[in-house]
């Protein structure tokens, strides 16, 4: 039942299933409408473009920018996030102030937010809104009623990226890895209050201390809930979580989807994972008739099921009381909410800054009514004309990929046919859903914060379960339109680019097309390439799991890419540290693909018309400048060194240098031998 609202589980990138390539989507460009006025927008024309294209484009911006206090870096992505957060905040607060009576999106959004903010009403109700569920926990008398209660907590709180569901197991309804025609239940590990397995198991002094603080936090919450002997009980609850953590899959397994593809039949649970009363569990979970499951971490299912059998029932009840309070802490009286925040936001996120109530309320409203907020957002900021422009750009990118893939030299003919089939089936969805979630059956009442949250969870749960009886919907939105971002759903086969990311300076529907293609277009094309590279080559056109490259494709691809790794190896921002070409190779290949394909697509968009001049610059000049601008970033030395060590994306400057492998760039800017970035034609990397 975690909510829709604020979730503390760490989201990890499930490399092969659902890849949020967020940092690859940092397209930094100046406002595209003004992109041609590069001098006023951060360029440094004292630099020769062929010597340092990044500084030529961004030098003045870099000189003038200050990294805000408390941050390690600052870039256009940060600016867009700030601007968008403010817009969402304003929209939600306006809806709350308008206090609409009609049952539309604005009423639900406004009342949800206002109730969350009404701390007096929350205080006055004390713990009574949870009395019924606390009583259900107290009534647990045997394994059947324990299993039944645990089943009632199963909800859609994971989505292919989550490491730890909020409850003992998490549920994700998606197509099967092999049976792509039907939605099945994906079952996840969960039930830990701290996000990582290591938080429970590692023996470092730091984590030992964290566990002591967590135990104190459990005790504090139990005490506030009126549980006697809370210190001793807290120690036992922690020990139960340690045993749950031991059953978790090792973190390394999270990167390999083949290890998570464990199809199972409902009938097998009792023999393969004895302990839990699975009939009772699945009945109360609403899954009594469900035959097929995919168990992502079998060790967690067998481990937890055994604990249901072996552990003291009173201990389970304390564990459940603690997690119930914790789950609703934000909409419970101040003392509980403050204790919750103190542990999660201060200690666990290791930051001194607690979010204010407003931030929590906005996050909760987005979580419960995300698409209702998205509707309000796009009505104001991303009209249908903007969507049409972005769709037209996506269509040009796909057309450009069709030609590029057909002409690849490293991919065999049979593999090309499969790639083209996948390209044809690929759905590129931009802006917002064509069909919004219908929230009309979700009752949101002003003044009932906890009731609203529960009803929103129940709504999500029944929507989720209904999907088991519906055909696979490849274009169901996995992200919110009002949050800047992009998601690749390898399974099924779709990519989503939110209205939040498709805004100036990345994309401007009324602005200069050349800049849009060079900035947002190159970002989208980068993401699309992942569906055909070593991330996407294990999912076919329907998102079915299975490698569709041949060993020859793979070795030829690696041979073609090796030259790019060598280029990056000689990029050294510090005397003692260079870029690790191998570490950044996969993302750099995608950058290269993104740039080339976006350039092709820009030329296609001209449909034979001449390239117009704006501000003395040709379209192709504006295209490449917008590309280099999207990578502008100011970061501290520490941040840059950390990036070099751990990030799979190279620093912005070197991403901007992708231009040196593109023949058109040489022509457009008159780059010649002797220029520092000059590469002989035979040294330019050609993969896509
Ligand atoms: Zn990427």
């Amino acid at each position: 039942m975690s909510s829709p609202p604020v979730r503390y589980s760490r989201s990890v990138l499930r490399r092969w299933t659902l890849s949020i390539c967020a940092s690859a989507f940092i397209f930094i460009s100046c406002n595209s409408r003004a992109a041609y006025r590069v001098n006023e927008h951060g360029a440094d024309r004292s630099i020769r473009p062929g010597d340092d294209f990044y500084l030529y484009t961004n030098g003045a911006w870099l000189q003038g920018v200050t990294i805000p206090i408390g941050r390690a870096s600052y870039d256009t992505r940060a600016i867009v996030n700030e601007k968008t957060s403010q817009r969402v905040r304003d929209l939600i607060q306006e809806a709350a102030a308008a206090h609409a009576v009609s049952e539309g999106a604005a009423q639900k959004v406004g009342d949800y937010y206002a109730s969350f903010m009404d701390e007096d009403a929350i205080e006055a109700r004390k713990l009574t809104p949870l009395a019924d569920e606390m009583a259900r926990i107290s009534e647990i008398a045997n394994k059947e009623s324990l299993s039944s209660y645990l089943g009632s907590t199963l909800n859609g709180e994971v989505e292919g990226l989550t490491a730890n569901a909020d409850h003992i197991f998490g549920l994700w309804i998606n197509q099967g890895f092999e049976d792509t025609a039907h939605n099945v239940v994906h079952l996840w590990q969960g039930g830990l209050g701290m996000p990582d397995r290591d938080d429970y198991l590692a023996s470092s002094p730091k984590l030992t201390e964290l566990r002591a603080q967590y135990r104190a936090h459990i005790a504090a919450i139990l005490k506030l809930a009126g549980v006697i002997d809370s210190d001793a009980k807290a120690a036992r609850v922690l020990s139960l979580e340690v045993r749950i953590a031991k059953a978790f899959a090792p973190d390394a397994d999270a990167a390999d989807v083949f290890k998570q593809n464990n199809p199972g039949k409902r009938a097998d649970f009792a023999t393969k994972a004895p302990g839990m009363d699975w009939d009772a569990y699945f009945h109360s979970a609403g899954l009594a008739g469900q035959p097929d499951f995919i168990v992502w971490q079998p060790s967690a299912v067998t481990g937890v099921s055994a604990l249901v059998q072996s552990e003291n029932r009173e201990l389970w009840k304390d564990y459940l009381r603690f997690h119930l309070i914790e789950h609703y802490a934000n909409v419970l009286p101040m003392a509980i909410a403050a204790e919750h925040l103190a542990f999660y936001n201060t200690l666990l996120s290791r930051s001194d800054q607690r979010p204010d109530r407003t931030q929590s309320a906005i996050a909760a409203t987005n979580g419960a009514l995300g698409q209702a907020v998205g509707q309000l957002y796009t009505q104001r900021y991303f009209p249908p004309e903007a969507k049409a422009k972005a769709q037209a750009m996506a269509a040009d990118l796909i057309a450009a990929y069709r030609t590029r893939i057909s002409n690849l030299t490293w991919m065999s003919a049979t593999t090309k046919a499969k790639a083209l089939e996948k390209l044809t089936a690929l759905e590129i969805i931009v802006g917002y859903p064509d069909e919004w979630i219908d929230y009309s059956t979700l009752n949101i009442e002003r003044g009932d914060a906890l009731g609203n949250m529960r009803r929103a969870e129940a709504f999500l749960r029944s929507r989720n379960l209904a999907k088991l009886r519906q055909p696979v919907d490849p274009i169901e939105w996995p992200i919110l339109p009002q949050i800047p971002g992009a998601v690749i759903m390898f399974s099924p086969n779709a990519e989503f680019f939110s209205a939040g990311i498709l805004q100036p300076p990345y994309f401007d529907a009324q602005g200069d097309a050349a800049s849009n293609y060079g900035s947002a277009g190159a970002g989208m094309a980068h993401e699309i390439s992942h569906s055909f590279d070593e991330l996407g080559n294990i999912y076919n056109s329907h998102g079915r799991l299975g490698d569709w490259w041949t060993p020859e494709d793979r070795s030829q691809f690696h041979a073609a890419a090796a030259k790019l790794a060598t280029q990056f190896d000689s990029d050294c921002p510090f005397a003692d540290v260079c870029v690790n070409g191998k570490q950044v190779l996969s993302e750099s290949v995608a950058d290269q693909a993104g740039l080339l394909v976006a350039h092709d697509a820009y030329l296609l968009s001209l449909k034979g018309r001449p390239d117009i001049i704006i501000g003395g610059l040709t379209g192709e000049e504006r295209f490449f400048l917008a590309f280099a601008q999207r990578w502008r970033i100011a970061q501290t030395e520490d941040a840059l060194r950390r990036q070099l060590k751990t990030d799979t994306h190279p620093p912005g400057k070197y991403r901007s240098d992708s231009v040196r492998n593109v023949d058109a760039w040489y022509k457009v800017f008159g780059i010649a031998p002797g220029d520092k970035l000059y590469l002989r034609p035979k040294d330019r990397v050609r993969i896509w």
Side-chain angles (χ1 to χ4, degrees), residues 32 67 96 211 229 240 246 327 385 428 438 454 509 522 544 596 655:
S32 53
I67 301 173
R211 285 194 286 277
D229 201 13
L240 175 58
K246 282 182 180 158
H327 181 70
E385 308 83 72
I428 304 289
D438 175 6
R454 276 176 136 185
R544 188 180 198 282
L596 284 167
R655 301 187 78 172

Side-chain angles (χ1 to χ4, degrees), residues 21 24 526-527 530 587 590 649:
C21 209
H526 168 119
E527 301 300 333
H530 283 319
E587 292 302 332
H649 303 84

Side-chain angles (χ1 to χ4, degrees), residues 268-317:
D268 297 338
F269 278 82
T271 46
K272 287 190 175 165
M276 181 91 79
D277 180 336
W278 289 107
D279 284 343
Y281 181 88
F282 284 123
H283 182 78
S284 75
L287 293 167
Q290 180 61 28
D292 295 306
F293 290 79
I294 292 175
V295 179
W296 280 54
Q297 299 91 6
S299 63
V301 171
T302 49
V304 167
S305 182
L307 290 171
V308 167
Q309 175 74 39
S310 64
E311 295 303 312
N312 182 294
R313 214 138 27 237
E314 292 307 314
L315 166 54
W316 271 111
K317 285 155 83 165

